Amino acid sequence: KGEHQVYNVGGIERISILELAKIIQNITGCSIDVPKIPNGLIGAPANVGLDIKRYLNEFGEIDFLSLEEGLRHTIRFYKETLSKQ
Protein backbone atom coordinates (compact mmCIF):
# COMPACT_ATOMS: atom_id res chain seq x y z
CA LYS A 1 0.00 0.00 0.00
CA GLY A 2 2.78 2.39 -0.91
CA GLU A 3 2.90 5.51 -3.04
CA HIS A 4 4.22 3.60 -6.07
CA GLN A 5 3.08 0.47 -7.90
CA VAL A 6 6.53 -1.11 -8.23
CA TYR A 7 9.33 -1.55 -5.69
CA ASN A 8 12.64 -3.40 -5.89
CA VAL A 9 12.75 -5.46 -2.73
CA GLY A 10 15.38 -8.01 -3.67
CA GLY A 11 17.66 -7.04 -0.83
CA ILE A 12 21.09 -5.53 -0.72
CA GLU A 13 23.38 -8.47 -1.51
CA ARG A 14 25.29 -8.55 -4.80
CA ILE A 15 26.47 -11.82 -6.28
CA SER A 16 27.39 -13.17 -9.69
CA ILE A 17 25.17 -15.48 -11.71
CA LEU A 18 27.72 -18.25 -11.08
CA GLU A 19 27.52 -17.70 -7.32
CA LEU A 20 23.71 -17.74 -7.54
CA ALA A 21 23.81 -21.01 -9.51
CA LYS A 22 26.12 -22.55 -6.89
CA ILE A 23 23.78 -21.57 -4.05
CA ILE A 24 20.82 -23.12 -5.89
CA GLN A 25 22.92 -26.22 -6.61
CA ASN A 26 23.74 -26.50 -2.92
CA ILE A 27 20.09 -26.14 -1.86
CA THR A 28 18.62 -28.49 -4.46
CA GLY A 29 21.42 -31.02 -4.87
CA CYS A 30 21.19 -30.55 -8.65
CA SER A 31 24.33 -30.36 -10.74
CA ILE A 32 25.22 -27.31 -12.82
CA ASP A 33 27.12 -27.09 -16.07
CA VAL A 34 28.98 -23.81 -16.44
CA PRO A 35 29.93 -22.99 -20.03
CA LYS A 36 33.42 -21.61 -20.52
CA ILE A 37 33.14 -18.21 -22.22
CA PRO A 38 36.65 -16.73 -22.46
CA ASN A 39 35.73 -13.02 -22.55
CA GLY A 40 32.23 -13.20 -21.09
CA LEU A 41 29.08 -12.41 -22.97
CA ILE A 42 29.42 -9.52 -25.40
CA GLY A 43 27.44 -6.55 -24.16
CA ALA A 44 26.63 -8.06 -20.77
CA PRO A 45 27.03 -5.65 -17.87
CA ALA A 46 29.84 -6.44 -15.45
CA ASN A 47 27.81 -5.50 -12.38
CA VAL A 48 24.05 -5.28 -11.92
CA GLY A 49 22.30 -4.43 -8.68
CA LEU A 50 18.84 -3.46 -7.56
CA ASP A 51 18.26 0.09 -6.40
CA ILE A 52 16.03 -0.20 -3.33
CA LYS A 53 16.21 3.49 -2.35
CA ARG A 54 12.54 4.07 -3.23
CA TYR A 55 11.48 1.30 -0.87
CA LEU A 56 13.83 2.38 1.95
CA ASN A 57 12.84 6.05 1.65
CA GLU A 58 9.16 5.21 1.93
CA PHE A 59 9.14 2.33 4.40
CA GLY A 60 12.47 2.63 6.20
CA GLU A 61 15.00 -0.12 6.71
CA ILE A 62 13.79 -3.60 7.47
CA ASP A 63 15.54 -6.84 8.25
CA PHE A 64 16.04 -8.76 5.02
CA LEU A 65 16.43 -12.51 4.82
CA SER A 66 19.73 -13.57 3.38
CA LEU A 67 19.59 -14.48 -0.29
CA GLU A 68 20.23 -18.13 0.54
CA GLU A 69 17.43 -18.25 3.11
CA GLY A 70 15.03 -16.54 0.68
CA LEU A 71 15.95 -19.06 -2.02
CA ARG A 72 15.39 -21.93 0.43
CA HIS A 73 11.88 -20.61 1.19
CA THR A 74 11.11 -20.10 -2.52
CA ILE A 75 12.36 -23.55 -3.57
CA ARG A 76 10.48 -25.23 -0.70
CA PHE A 77 7.27 -23.38 -1.68
CA TYR A 78 7.51 -24.47 -5.32
CA LYS A 79 8.35 -28.08 -4.42
CA GLU A 80 5.32 -28.24 -2.13
CA THR A 81 3.06 -26.49 -4.65
CA LEU A 82 4.11 -28.66 -7.59
CA SER A 83 3.84 -31.88 -5.58
CA LYS A 84 0.12 -31.10 -4.99
CA GLN A 85 -0.65 -30.85 -8.72
Side-chain angles (χ1 to χ4, degrees):
K1 307 271 186 212
E3 295 176 19
H4 305 279
Q5 289 184 325
V6 178
Y7 295 87
N8 285 325
V9 292
I12 56 176
E13 295 178 58
R14 288 180 179 239
I15 66 167
S16 70
I17 295 297
L18 178 58
E19 291 169 317
L20 177 62
K22 287 180 178 179
I23 292 171
I24 293 170
Q25 176 185 29
N26 182 47
I27 294 170
T28 63
C30 296
S31 62
I32 60 172
D33 182 27
V34 180
K36 303 293 186 227
I37 303 173
N39 299 319
L41 296 174
I42 296 172
N47 190 0
V48 176
L50 294 177
D51 181 355
I52 62 170
K53 282 185 254 173
R54 176 190 284 179
Y55 178 88
L56 294 176
N57 287 338
E58 190 169 334
F59 299 107
E61 282 194 48
I62 62 166
D63 291 327
F64 288 100
L65 289 176
S66 70
L67 174 61
E68 185 167 346
E69 187 62 25
L71 287 169
R72 286 184 187 282
H73 284 275
T74 301
I75 290 167
R76 185 179 321 116
F77 169 81
Y78 279 103
K79 282 183 176 180
E80 290 171 1
T81 301
L82 292 174
S83 70
K84 294 176 185 176
Q85 293 182 358

